[in-house]
Amino acid sequence: ETGVTQTPRHLVMGMTNKKSLKCEQHLGHNAMYWYKQSAKKPLELMFVYNFKEQTENNSVPSRFSPECPNSSHLFLHLHTLQPEDSALYLCASSQMTGNQPQHFGDGTRLSIL
Amino acid sequence: GQNIDQPTEMTATEGAIVQINCTYQTSGFNGLFWYQQHAGEAPTFLSYNVLDGLEEKGRFSSFLSRSKGYSYLLLKELQMKDSASYLCAVNQAGTALIFGKGTTLSVSS
């Protein structure tokens, strides 16, 4: 139990579907992150939110749309995804951005048909 | 450019000591993290180094040399449960982390 909960754990969707990934942290942290983890590749940072404000968008395609309604919840809205978007999507949180340890959720395994 | 290098795979036996190296070239540096990730699970924080030297935490130690852009994670008295991926990550001056590809460690009996 890391204090960061992601749902769903697995998701299979077609390229024309719209779905959302959810992340909730119970650690009282102020920063939240979305990462993509593909086989044989490093963890790739997608988005950073600090006190609900987006502070970083790492050149992510617009078919991924993040939402952070409060410091405890983070969503990733998915629309018209491509097969290469199949990956493990990890959410993390930390007390602040910068040199603070990040606590990760178990991820959502996404498969695009 | 930004680059973090780690060996892809390592093997060791129970009770042994293993050292996982990480070299980095980044445009800024505000600390280096090591994470452990078991298959199908979340990465978990192991250690953080921002000053040169060795940080020891039980069976795990982490070393940093900023002048050489080099770190290592030392695992002592290896156990089967230590079989996992070990991720090296650099924090660049206040931004989020840049990760290496990870080193998959297999511990055999």
Side-chain angles (χ1 to χ4, degrees):
Chain A
E1 178 59 48
T2 65
V4 180
T5 304
Q6 290 188 244
T7 55
R9 291 295 310 276
H10 301 273
L11 179 62
V12 179
M13 56 188 284
M15 288 191 284
T16 58
N17 292 156
K18 287 184 184 181
K19 295 285 185 184
S20 296
L21 309 184
K22 179 182 176 182
C23 176
E24 183 174 0
Q25 57 98 358
H26 310 276
L27 300 169
H29 289 165
N30 297 305
M32 295 189 79
Y33 312 79
W34 278 117
Y35 288 89
K36 177 183 178 183
Q37 189 173 35
S38 304
K40 310 292 184 187
K41 288 187 175 181
L43 270 167
E44 300 171 54
L45 177 68
M46 299 176 74
F47 301 103
V48 181
Y49 278 82
N50 198 24
F51 292 94
K52 303 188 299 177
E53 299 297 320
Q54 187 180 126
T55 57
E56 208 158 324
N57 175 341
N58 208 23
S59 303
V60 179
S62 60
R63 57 187 184 269
F64 295 92
S65 173
E67 178 189 0
C68 188
N70 55 61
S71 292
S72 299
H73 293 86
L74 185 65
F75 295 90
L76 187 63
H77 304 299
L78 315 172
H79 175 50
T80 321
L81 295 193
Q82 304 299 307
E84 61 266 26
D85 297 324
S86 297
L88 181 68
Y89 289 84
L90 289 163
C91 172
S93 70
S94 63
Q95 185 59 41
M96 304 283 284
T97 56
N99 60 346
Q100 300 283 322
Q102 293 179 22
H103 297 254
F104 286 83
D106 286 332
T108 296
R109 174 69 62 185
L110 176 65
S111 299
I112 306 300
L113 302 177
Chain B
Q2 300 170 120
N3 197 40
I4 299 179
D5 283 320
Q6 319 177 221
T8 304
E9 293 179 340
M10 297 184 72
T11 59
T13 53
E14 270 189 303
I17 299 173
V18 71
Q19 178 174 311
I20 302 175
N21 296 324
C22 172
T23 58
Y24 63 90
Q25 291 174 304
T26 54
S27 56
F29 182 84
N30 195 33
L32 186 144
F33 293 82
W34 284 96
Y35 285 84
Q36 179 192 60
Q37 186 177 22
H38 286 99
E41 296 183 13
T44 55
F45 168 72
L46 288 178
S47 68
Y48 171 69
N49 294 70
V50 66
L51 300 176
D52 287 357
L54 188 69
E55 294 281 342
E56 297 188 75
K57 265 189 187 182
R59 293 190 299 116
F60 293 5
S61 303
S62 57
F63 172 83
L64 175 68
S65 169
R66 294 183 62 160
S67 61
K68 294 182 180 176
Y70 168 68
S71 173
Y72 67 73
L73 181 69
L74 191 71
L75 293 77
K76 303 176 187 174
E77 301 168 18
L78 279 175
Q79 302 174 11
M80 298 291 284
K81 67 178 182 179
D82 297 329
S83 294
S85 285
Y86 292 86
L87 311 177
C88 173
V90 171
N91 175 239
Q92 283 193 129
T95 64
L97 299 177
I98 300 172
F99 281 84
K101 291 184 181 180
T103 299
T104 300
L105 174 66
S106 300
V107 180
S108 58
S109 55

